[in-house]
Amino acid sequence: MSNELYIEKNGAIATIVINRPQKKNAFTLAMFKELGALLDELETDKNVKVLVVRGVDETAFSAGADISEFLEVRFSAEKAKKYNDFALESIEKLYRFSKPTIALIQGLAIGGGLELASSCDFRFAAENSKLGITAANIGIVYNLTSTKRLYNLIGLSKTKELLYTAKLISANEGKEIGLIDYVYSSEEIEEKCFEFAKQIIQKSSVAISGMKKVIQSVVDGENEESEAISEIILASYCSDDYKEGIQAFMEKRKPNF
């Protein structure tokens, strides 16, 4: 593993740190592959209840893919397909991660960087952040999966506007259109993000993990409970968390999950 991506842990909160500030945290192909490996590691870590993704400092969340390597790794249809498959596989792992995910955005979140942020459950952004998808500036077509994800967040006309103009918008404008959940000053953003994460880890991980799967089924277009979803719901009634939650309620105390 390189030091361009690394994991920090604070109790039940894990953070994937993007550490390439000299390149505004732009992702190389190798970094996309490494991201997938880190997500696999955290997916199986039972001590982790929430994942935060962030840049190493206020320089950038991520300016997207490193265009300087495109002539080598993405300059034909065949190479582009291999590149896109690797990148989208890791982004999809983040989107399907079984535990709650939060993007902590400072500075730039552009292109693949905004794809990463949009794949998280929540997006916290500093007021001075800039967001955008700039594919139209270099003549490539934005992929369907990420376009649909963007559309689900901000709707049809705003998706077209961001993609057609390739403009960068402010964090506050992002919040107005539904792209960003919370905006804070650069001095507050980290504290507020981790306060939110700490609220989540105090709750039942059985309930949250199950509800994330149910919500994802709704997003994926399911209108009726599948057998798998029904099993997840019913299994929660047999869990230790359920027993502790009921006992805590009866004893008028906070549950210890």
Side-chain angles (χ1 to χ4, degrees):
M1 294 289 182
S2 72
N3 68 346
E4 293 179 332
L5 289 171
Y6 62 86
I7 295 170
E8 291 181 341
K9 292 181 182 177
N10 181 9
I13 303 170
T15 302
I16 291 180
V17 181
I18 310 167
N19 182 33
R20 204 176 177 226
Q22 73 279 13
K23 290 286 189 179
K24 295 183 172 61
N25 291 336
F27 267 70
T28 62
L29 180 56
M31 288 172 68
F32 277 119
K33 294 177 181 178
E34 188 172 346
L35 175 64
L38 293 180
L39 289 168
D40 287 341
E41 176 185 335
L42 293 172
E43 185 69 69
T44 57
D45 188 335
K46 295 181 180 179
N47 294 318
V48 172
K49 293 186 176 182
V50 173
L51 172 63
V52 175
V53 182
R54 64 173 301 177
V56 69
D57 58 26
E58 71 281 356
T59 304
F61 177 78
S62 173
D66 187 347
I67 297 175
S68 67
E69 71 171 4
F70 279 14
L71 290 177
E72 178 183 352
V73 300
R74 210 180 187 187
F75 205 61
S76 69
E78 182 180 357
K79 287 184 176 180
K81 185 178 188 313
K82 289 181 180 180
Y83 184 106
N84 293 348
D85 286 348
F86 278 122
L88 289 174
E89 180 182 0
S90 292
I91 292 171
E92 188 70 12
K93 281 184 181 181
L94 178 58
Y95 181 63
R96 304 277 173 180
F97 197 70
S98 66
K99 304 158 190 181
T101 53
I102 307 169
L104 197 172
I105 301 169
Q106 294 172 287
L108 301 175
I110 300 173
L114 190 56
E115 284 186 73
L116 288 172
S118 298
S119 298
C120 291
D121 294 318
F122 305 99
R123 282 155 294 285
F124 282 64
E127 288 174 334
N128 61 351
S129 301
K130 294 293 182 182
L131 322 164
I133 302 291
T134 56
N137 285 341
I138 58 172
I140 61 175
V141 178
Y142 197 48
N143 69 83
L144 188 146
T145 300
S146 298
T147 300
K148 186 174 188 300
R149 207 158 287 160
L150 188 63
Y151 164 78
N152 286 342
L153 289 172
I154 67 175
L156 181 60
S157 63
K158 287 299 180 183
T159 296
K160 289 180 178 180
E161 182 177 340
L162 283 188
L163 295 182
Y164 293 178
T165 66
K167 69 178 182 178
L168 301 185
I169 63 173
S170 69
N172 282 316
E173 186 176 349
K175 187 174 186 297
E176 288 174 5
I177 65 176
L179 185 58
I180 298 298
D181 297 296
Y182 296 98
V183 178
Y184 293 102
S185 69
S186 56
E187 293 80 17
E188 293 180 295
I189 183 67
E190 186 171 342
E191 179 183 357
K192 294 296 185 180
C193 177
F194 282 93
E195 280 180 0
F196 184 78
K198 288 173 183 176
Q199 288 181 46
I200 296 173
I201 65 173
Q202 293 171 8
K203 308 305 178 184
S204 163
S205 56
V206 170
I208 291 172
S209 176
M211 288 187 289
K212 182 165 182 175
K213 289 182 174 68
V214 172
I215 292 168
Q216 190 58 58
S217 293
V218 174
V219 175
D220 290 341
E222 299 294 332
N223 294 312
E224 297 181 5
E225 285 183 10
S226 65
E227 184 176 344
I229 291 297
S230 293
E231 288 177 359
I232 289 170
I233 293 169
L234 294 176
S236 70
Y237 289 92
C238 303
S239 69
D240 290 338
D241 278 11
Y242 178 66
K243 295 172 187 175
E244 168 61 13
I246 294 296
Q247 191 67 28
F249 179 84
M250 299 299 292
E251 296 173 3
K252 297 182 179 179
R253 61 173 173 84
K254 289 185 177 181
N256 182 24
F257 294 122

